[in-house]
Amino acid sequence: ALGQLAMAKYLLGCDVGGTFTDLILIDVQTSAIVGRCKTPSTPEDQSIGVENGIAKICADSGIERGQIEVLLHGTTVATNAVLEGKGAKVGLITSEGYRQVLHIDRSYVPGGLAGWIIWNKPELLAKLEDTVECKCRLDAFGNEVSPLDEAHLRNQLQLLKANGVEAITVSLLNAYVDGKHEQAVKQVVESVLPGVPVSMSHEVLPEMYEYERALTTVANAVIRPKVSQYISNLKQKVGDTRFKILRSD
């Protein structure tokens, strides 16, 4: 029996919240729940709370770390970064004439005819002073109307560099049809702002409607540095254990 216990494999479920980290241990063979635990979350580095939880549930259940086959992981790290305003400072690069794309959105104001008088618009994820235009254009079929003006873009990027942006979003008109201009912009960004992560709309949300595509890609840029650092720290702590990040949508 002891030999069978030593060979047993387990799935570990872990849900990281803002206050507590919850873990559950399941036997792979029988699907039986063999352990549960709750530990305090560690907002300064949520991977520490995960590590503490893994150590506790293994000790309580009498198993070795090596018996955990897969870690199934859910987290609010990304959601909380947006809600608490603790994400990256994002610079947005748009097509010429579309600098106010996040401000105009769908021109929808809730509350009826007089709603615009009392409605306080939420703070944007990319501020207007951190938004620049680049000169290039594709038509609705992805054909090039005008090429990228690289010299102009480099000048605009100096403004974002001076503003201290921590991540870049590129969202250009009709990029969902063909991402070649966004790729070209990314190459210039990487030469001017090395090490700054770049999110491109044709990769994040390759769909029409400029506002929705821009906003989604900006949100990706806001959480990207924080989530990347968290995943990197988590990989170091779980070692060779395979882990999967669960979607939160």
Side-chain angles (χ1 to χ4, degrees), residues 41-94:
S41 294
T42 50
E44 68 279 6
D45 180 356
Q46 295 286 18
S47 68
I48 296 173
V50 174
E51 169 72 7
N52 294 339
I54 293 175
K56 185 176 188 303
I57 201 169
C58 286
D60 292 348
S61 304
I63 72 164
E64 300 293 330
R65 287 279 294 266
Q67 292 177 260
I68 299 175
E69 193 170 69
V70 181
L71 169 62
L72 303 175
H73 183 47
T75 177
T76 59
V77 168
T79 305
N80 288 344
V82 175
L83 295 178
E84 297 172 4
K86 296 180 179 179
K89 182 177 183 179
V90 176
L92 172 59
I93 302 173
T94 68

Side-chain angles (χ1 to χ4, degrees), residues 87-91 125 127 130 163-168 222:
K89 182 177 183 179
V90 176
L125 296 178
K127 297 181 179 179
D130 297 324
N163 287 350
V165 299
E166 301 164 323
I168 294 289
V222 166

Side-chain angles (χ1 to χ4, degrees), residues 216-238:
T216 303
T217 311
V218 167
N220 180 78
V222 166
I223 67 173
R224 185 171 174 178
K226 193 175 189 71
V227 172
S228 294
Q229 183 62 54
Y230 170 64
I231 297 300
S232 177
N233 292 344
L234 187 61
K235 282 182 177 180
Q236 293 178 7
K237 290 180 172 59
V238 302

Side-chain angles (χ1 to χ4, degrees), residues 11-24:
L11 299 179
L12 179 62
C14 177
D15 179 43
V16 177
T19 306
F20 292 106
T21 295
D22 297 284
L23 299 96
I24 184 169

